[in-house]
Amino acid sequence: MFTEEIEKLKKREDAVILAHYYVDGAVQAAADFVGDSFYLAKAAAQTDKSTIVFCGVRFMGESAKILNPQRRVLLPDASADCPMAHMADAEQIARLRAEVSDLAVVCYINSSAALKALSDVCVTSSNAVKIVSSLPNKNILFIPDENLGNFVRARVPGKTFYFSGGYCPAHASVLSSDIESERSAHPAAEVLTHPECRADVCAASDFVGSTAEIVAYAEQSSRSEFIVCTEPGVLYELERRCPGKRFYPVAPVCADMKKITPESVVRCLERGEYTVELEEKAAAAARRPLERMLELGSRK
Ligand code: 13P
Ligand code: SF4
C-alpha cells in the first residue's frame, strides 16, 4: 500500500528516491538506490530525474543539491540533521591554514555545506584512506570526525594530522567493554565495526569499514554470526543480503536518521517539502571539494 502510493507519486513528480542504510527498513524497501554515503553521492551526481528525494540527514540532501543545482532536492524531515556535521569551526581552519605550511583540509562528507566550502577535498568512510594517501600534502587537517581521522592516520604513514575534535554521538558511545560482553555472549561471531567508532573499539574488532564494506564483508564471510558496531538500520540490508546469518547490533540508533518514516516520504512527495536551498556562491565553493572526491575516489 505504502509502496504503491510512493510509486504513483514518484511518477507524478519525476522523482528518484535515495536512501541511506541507516533509515527505517520500510523506507529502504521503497527507494530506488540504497547504499553508503559514497554510493549515494555518486547516484545523486548521475540521476536524470528532476527531483531527488534524499532519505537521510541534511548533509546528504545538501551534497545532492550541491552536485545538482538545477534539480529539486527534497528532505522528508527538515529537522533530520547530523550533530557531527557542525563539529568544526571556520576560525580553527583559517588559523591552521595560516600557521601550517603544505596543509590540506580534508572534510568528511558528514559536514555542513559551510564546512565543505572551507575544505580542499571531501571524503567518505569508504574512500578516506585512498583519497588522503593520494594527496601530495604532508599535513592534514581532518574535520569533523576525529575517530575516522585516527583510523585514516593509522593507515597513511608519513603525514601529520590535525583534528577539530568532532565525533558521532551514536558510534562514539560504543565502548570496548561492550565488545567484550557481546563476544562472551556470541563466541562464534565476528565483530564488524564502522570507523566512526573509538580507536580501541576498532582495535577490538575483526573488520572495520563503511556500511557498504560491512555488508560486503558479512556476505562473503564463512561465519554465520556477526556483532555489528554501526547504526542498526544496516541490519535490514544485512538480513536481506545474508539469509540464514545472524546479526547482533551494539550501537544505539541515530535519532536523526530515524526521523525519516514512510509517512514522511509520502508527505514529502505529495507536498514538495522540504526543499534544500543553498545560495549559489556557497554551493559553488562546496562543489569543488565534493567533485574532487568523486574524481579521486573513482580512480583505479
Ligand atoms: P557511511 O555511509 O560512509 O558508511 O557513513 C555512515 C554515516 O554515519 C552516515 O551518516
Ligand atoms: Fe551523524 Fe552519526 Fe547519525 Fe551518521 S550516525 S548521521 S554520523 S549522528
Side-chain angles (χ1 to χ4, degrees):
M1 151 72 180
F2 160 65
T3 323
E4 273 169 36
E5 208 172 346
I6 293 273
E7 283 309 314
K8 239 194 288 158
L9 287 165
K10 252 172 37 182
K11 273 206 195 87
R12 188 186 85 187
E13 299 300 316
D14 186 37
V16 63
I17 301 186
L18 309 186
H20 192 270
Y21 286 137
Y22 292 166
V23 298
D24 188 87
V27 173
Q28 293 186 46
D32 299 292
F33 297 92
V34 184
D36 72 354
S37 303
F38 188 40
Y39 174 82
L40 294 174
K42 285 187 289 188
Q46 284 162 11
T47 187
D48 58 1
K49 300 286 182 195
S50 56
T51 292
I52 298 171
V53 175
F54 215 121
C55 299
V57 288
R58 174 163 294 277
F59 77 78
M60 296 180 168
E62 280 184 355
S63 299
K65 181 68 184 174
I66 291 164
L67 294 168
N68 291 281
Q70 75 290 8
R71 299 185 208 283
R72 179 173 69 150
V73 177
L74 299 176
L75 285 172
D77 189 312
S79 73
D81 196 8
C82 168
M84 182 168 68
H86 310 279
M87 292 185 190
D89 71 78
E91 256 171 56
Q92 184 204 16
I93 298 170
R95 183 169 46 75
L96 276 173
R97 280 203 190 274
E99 285 171 8
V100 180
S101 61
D102 197 18
L103 181 81
V105 180
V106 176
C107 188
Y108 190 22
I109 198 166
N110 297 29
S111 52
S112 64
L115 287 177
K116 287 184 179 76
L118 299 172
S119 305
D120 297 306
V121 65
C122 288
V123 296
T124 74
S125 62
S126 64
N127 61 32
V129 171
K130 178 177 174 178
I131 289 178
V132 175
S133 307
S134 76
L135 296 177
N137 312 75
K138 164 98 182 59
N139 298 306
I140 304 292
L141 169 58
F142 195 100
I143 59 168
D145 188 4
E146 185 155 350
N147 286 327
L148 177 65
N150 270 317
F151 174 82
V152 175
R153 173 163 66 175
R155 283 153 188 81
V156 185
K159 294 187 193 286
T160 301
F161 282 70
Y162 300 83
F163 298 109
S164 65
Y167 62 94
C168 161
H171 288 89
S173 72
V174 180
L175 303 177
S176 53
S177 54
D178 299 327
I179 308 289
E180 276 167 39
S181 48
E182 286 296 318
R183 276 203 196 269
S184 336
H186 311 289
E190 282 187 300
V191 179
L192 314 181
T193 294
H194 195 279
E196 287 176 15
C197 288
R198 295 162 187 266
D200 57 343
V201 171
C202 292
S205 303
D206 298 299
F207 176 76
V208 184
S210 74
T211 45
E213 289 166 337
I214 287 175
V215 173
Y217 183 93
E219 205 171 23
Q220 60 72 46
S221 171
S222 56
R223 298 283 184 95
S224 54
E225 291 182 82
F226 303 89
I227 294 157
V228 181
C229 300
T230 190
E231 212 279 351
V234 75
L235 264 69
Y236 177 79
E237 181 71 357
L238 284 167
E239 284 165 355
R240 198 181 71 79
R241 295 254 293 266
C242 311
K245 296 191 178 184
R246 301 190 66 172
F247 299 96
Y248 311 110
V250 183
V253 298
C254 168
D256 285 281
M257 286 285 189
K258 293 302 183 260
K259 289 177 179 170
I260 313 303
T261 59
E263 296 72 30
S264 69
V265 180
V266 170
R267 204 171 46 235
C268 162
L269 279 161
E270 268 172 358
R271 300 185 189 169
E273 306 180 323
Y274 299 88
T275 50
V276 177
E277 308 288 354
L278 289 168
E279 199 250 307
E280 182 41 33
K281 204 165 154 221
R287 191 171 301 126
R288 208 177 15 86
L290 266 177
E291 286 183 342
R292 196 169 173 210
M293 174 191 81
L294 291 174
E295 204 263 301
L296 292 175
S298 301
R299 275 192 197 165
K300 291 284 170 239

